[in-house]
Amino acid sequence: MATDTERTSILKALADQRDFLRYAVRGLDDHQATRRTTDSELTLAGLVKHVTQMEENWIRFAQDGPPAEPVDYGDPASWQEQADSFTLLDGETLEGTLARYDLVAAATEEYVLSLPDLEKSHPLPDAPWFEQGASWSVRDVLLNVLRETAQHCGHADIIRESFDGQKTMG
């Protein structure tokens, strides 16, 4: 199947951002990767874990649409799940998180390349931050994943530079 320029460009930009994030954790052990270097709760390993889960969730949305059961944003458990996405839990390691990130990235690229185009769309789930009744195409999903990954690469750059002066993006 021939791949169009738009799809190739978006996937390349996303791959570049993934590489920046991987570079930010290069040479670190689990203790270093989970160390806070600012007043924020963010850590390098937590950012990798979060971006992995975010990408996986958005690609699942692109494939299947919104979850059958809406999220109850008034339930503290839903916010705890979000907080846990930024933290390595017992038994999780940076190495395992990076391996999972690679698997999710490969699955994203395989899915996107299998599509005839990027027009497939689904209604967004009900959430306070989405426009009521809006839909997103696969293109919209990919651009959102790219935007969020790039945003977290910036966070990772600050954390890594605060940790040991290493610059990951400049």
Side-chain angles (χ1 to χ4, degrees):
M1 168 187 289
T3 304
D4 58 88
T5 304
E6 177 190 30
R7 183 186 333 232
T8 302
S9 295
I10 293 171
L11 289 175
K12 169 74 168 91
L14 183 54
D16 289 347
Q17 293 305 308
R18 289 186 194 116
D19 287 344
F20 278 132
L21 195 53
R22 286 184 193 97
Y23 191 82
V25 299
R26 188 187 83 230
L28 299 180
D29 60 28
D30 287 345
H31 175 72
Q32 293 166 319
T34 56
R35 184 175 150 205
R36 291 178 46 214
T37 62
T38 67
D39 286 340
S40 169
E41 294 291 324
L42 297 177
T43 67
L44 291 167
L47 286 171
V48 175
K49 179 180 175 182
H50 171 74
V51 169
T52 301
Q53 290 179 355
M54 173 274 303
E55 182 173 329
E56 184 174 44
N57 289 340
W58 275 115
I59 297 304
R60 184 179 310 117
F61 167 84
Q63 292 171 321
D64 304 328
E69 291 295 319
V71 175
D72 178 1
Y73 294 103
D75 180 1
S78 70
W79 294 107
Q80 185 60 50
E81 184 178 318
Q82 176 71 8
D84 287 348
S85 80
F86 282 98
T87 305
L88 292 190
L89 302 176
D90 288 341
E92 294 178 331
T93 64
L94 175 60
E95 181 181 357
T97 301
L98 287 167
R100 180 146 176 73
Y101 194 32
D102 290 342
L103 291 173
V104 168
T108 294
E109 291 184 17
E110 181 181 343
Y111 172 68
V112 171
L113 292 172
S114 76
L115 296 170
D117 57 47
L118 302 179
E119 300 303 319
K120 178 180 175 182
S121 68
H122 296 288
L124 288 169
D126 288 332
W129 45 87
F130 292 135
E131 178 184 346
Q132 187 71 24
S135 292
W136 273 9
S137 66
V138 173
R139 176 184 300 100
D140 296 322
V141 168
L142 287 172
L143 291 173
N144 183 67
V145 169
L146 175 60
R147 180 199 55 78
E148 189 163 341
T149 302
Q151 178 182 6
H152 289 310
C153 283
H155 295 140
D157 196 44
I158 291 167
I159 293 168
R160 181 63 190 252
E161 188 172 355
S162 298
F163 179 71
D164 62 5
Q166 172 71 41
K167 293 184 180 193
T168 62
M169 297 176 70

